């Protein structure tokens, strides 16, 4: 399908972008890497007369350390995120997601902001970032607000972002000592295949290895990345062992609300959720045990 006539605007600053949005909304969309939006325009899912490219806004680029946590500029592309030394050394759970996403060509243009703002239920970054207690920063001429990811998504391709707001950054807090997280996904092949089901898990352990806090977040099996409180409740206060993981996996399976499509039936996806939850919890537990803070205290 052809993309019909579209005017592309290239603001240099957030204020200019806001002015363009004010002028053309609702007949306008922000454009970042275009890997979601151009497909939507070609298939007719989205029809607008104006694209406001944010690619020249330098303030939206780069990954920096903030109080031991990460501030990821919205225009950071996936390959840049996964190549950042700070991410590689201290936020390895994010790499579980980035290494499986799409293919290198897409990872070189797809942005972190776009992966979140598009609110596609099978997107890979939202579940692991939610397990890491991340939030998004939303900017408009009226001010800035930070929204926790679990409160950001309201439906497939729907978020609480207002039309005038630009997602400027993702904030990932510094992991607590004895904290670990992991992401497990299933796709029909290794490269360039979206997730059929995915689970992110995080665990905060006591010194005796009981679970102080946990998060289980499902991807691709519900209208939004689903934080499953019932699964966390199965873990809290219990030893972090196979038995607890199995109970949490059952709660996660119950909470899944998958569809059936060409990639798999709803029943198959529910089964995947249980398996992936156990896998993600095992990974989260391993990372919590390996965490530097734990080793140095134990020593
Ligand atoms: C072949 C292929 C394979 C893929 N495989 C995967 C995969 O395995 N896993 C996965 O998660 N994704 C996958 N994707 C989807 C896609 O690459 C990602 O979702 C990408 O990160 C979107 O970012 P973008 O910069 O391309 O966004 P765009 O397409 O430019 O924008 C997407 C949406 O977000 C909005 N938007 C973008 N940036 C902002 C911002 N800063 N503030 C507010 N709104 C904004 C746009 O207006 C638009 O509605 C794949 C895509 C393709 C084409």
């Amino acid at each position: 399908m052809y993309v019909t006539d579209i005017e592309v605007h290239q603001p240099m600053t957030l204020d200019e972008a806001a002015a363009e949005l004010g002028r053309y909304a609702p007949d306008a969309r922000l454009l970042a890497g275009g890997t979601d939006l151009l497909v939507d325009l070609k298939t007719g899912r989205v029809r607008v007369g104006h694209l406001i490219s944010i690619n020249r806004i330098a303030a939206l680029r780069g990954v920096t350390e903030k109080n031991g946590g990460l501030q990821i500029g919205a225009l950071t592309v996936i390959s840049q995120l996964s190549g950042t030394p700070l991410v590689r050394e201290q936020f390895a759970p994010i790499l579980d997601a980035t290494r499986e996403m799409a293919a290198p060509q897409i990872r070189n243009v797809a942005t972190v902001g776009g992966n979140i703002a598009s609110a596609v239920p099978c997107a890979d970054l939202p579940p692991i970032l939610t397990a890491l207690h991340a939030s998004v920063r939303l900017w408009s001429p009226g001010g800035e607000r930070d929204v926790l990811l679990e409160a950001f998504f309201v439906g497939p391709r729907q978020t609480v972002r207002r039309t005038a707001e630009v997602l400027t950054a993702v904030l990932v807090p510094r992991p607590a000592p004895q904290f670990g997280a992991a992401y497990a996904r299933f796709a029909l092949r290794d490269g360039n295949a979206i997730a059929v089901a995915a689970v992110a898990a995080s665990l905060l352990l006591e010194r005796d290895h009981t679970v102080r806090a946990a998060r289980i977040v499902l991807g691709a099996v519900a209208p939004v990345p689903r934080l499953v409180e019932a699964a966390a409740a199965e873990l809290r206060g219990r030893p972090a062992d196979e038995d607890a993981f199995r109970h949490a996996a059952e709660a996660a399976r119950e909470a899944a609300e998958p569809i059936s499509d060409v990639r798999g039936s709803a029943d198959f996806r529910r089964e995947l959720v249980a398996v992936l939850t156990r896998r993600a919890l095992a990974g989260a537990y391993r990372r919590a045990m390996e965490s530097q803070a734990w080793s140095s205290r134990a020593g």
Side-chain angles (χ1 to χ4, degrees):
M1 247 181 138
Y2 289 108
V3 177
T4 48
D5 280 354
I6 289 184
E7 212 176 312
V8 179
H9 308 269
Q10 297 190 300
M12 303 291 288
T13 65
L14 281 170
D15 284 311
E16 286 174 23
E20 306 275 22
L21 268 178
R23 195 168 302 133
Y24 298 114
D27 189 30
R29 280 291 177 101
L30 294 174
L31 173 71
T35 61
D36 273 332
L37 187 51
L38 294 184
V39 176
D40 285 347
L41 287 167
K42 283 191 172 176
T43 56
R45 187 199 294 272
V46 172
R47 290 175 199 274
V48 287
H50 299 267
L51 290 181
I52 300 165
S53 165
I54 51 177
N55 284 287
R56 293 188 173 180
I57 306 177
L60 299 180
R61 295 196 180 276
V63 183
T64 48
E65 197 231 298
K66 282 273 148 67
N67 305 320
L70 282 181
Q71 179 165 323
I72 307 167
L75 281 182
T76 306
V77 297
I78 305 302
S79 54
Q80 183 190 358
L81 178 67
S82 56
T84 302
L86 181 62
V87 175
R88 301 190 76 79
E89 286 154 21
Q90 291 176 41
F91 294 87
I94 293 175
L95 305 178
D96 293 351
T98 56
R99 87 167 60 89
E100 307 228 22
M101 281 176 71
Q105 292 88 339
I106 297 289
R107 295 200 288 264
N108 285 338
V109 281
T111 66
V112 171
N115 195 248
I116 296 169
S118 58
V120 174
C122 65
D124 283 298
L125 284 178
I128 188 61
L129 290 173
T130 305
L132 293 171
H133 301 263
S135 50
V136 287
R137 181 155 290 168
L138 301 173
W139 176 96
S140 73
E144 220 170 41
R145 61 183 179 130
D146 292 346
V147 179
L148 282 167
L149 268 188
E150 58 264 36
F152 182 66
F153 302 100
V154 293
R157 298 169 191 271
Q158 291 174 309
T159 71
V160 298
R161 185 180 75 82
R162 299 176 190 126
T163 310
E165 288 178 321
V166 179
L167 192 164
T168 55
V170 180
L171 311 167
V172 189
R174 183 218 310 250
Q178 286 108 237
F179 175 89
Y183 179 68
R185 78 171 338 229
F186 177 85
L188 295 181
R189 53 176 193 274
D190 279 347
N192 235 346
I194 57 172
V196 177
V199 179
S202 63
L203 288 172
L204 178 62
L205 301 180
E206 304 283 7
R207 278 191 64 82
D208 64 0
H209 301 191
T210 55
V211 177
R212 191 189 311 169
R215 281 195 159 196
I216 305 291
V217 191
L218 313 185
V221 292
V224 296
R226 177 154 293 169
L227 182 60
V228 186
E229 172 49 32
E234 291 289 352
L235 295 158
R236 262 194 310 272
R238 299 180 61 171
D241 58 18
E242 276 296 321
D243 194 43
F245 293 176
R246 205 162 30 78
H247 282 94
E250 280 314 305
R253 184 212 298 262
E254 288 285 309
E257 217 185 311
I259 57 165
S260 294
D261 66 10
V262 288
R263 295 183 187 85
S265 68
D267 281 347
F268 176 56
R269 284 187 158 100
R270 277 192 207 93
E271 195 54 39
L272 281 174
V273 166
V275 172
L276 294 171
T277 301
R278 291 200 300 274
R279 207 172 281 172
L281 279 167
Y285 177 72
R286 197 182 58 250
R287 286 203 173 112
M289 295 298 290
E290 285 166 3
S291 84
Q292 190 57 41
W294 181 287
S295 325
S296 56
R297 282 174 177 211

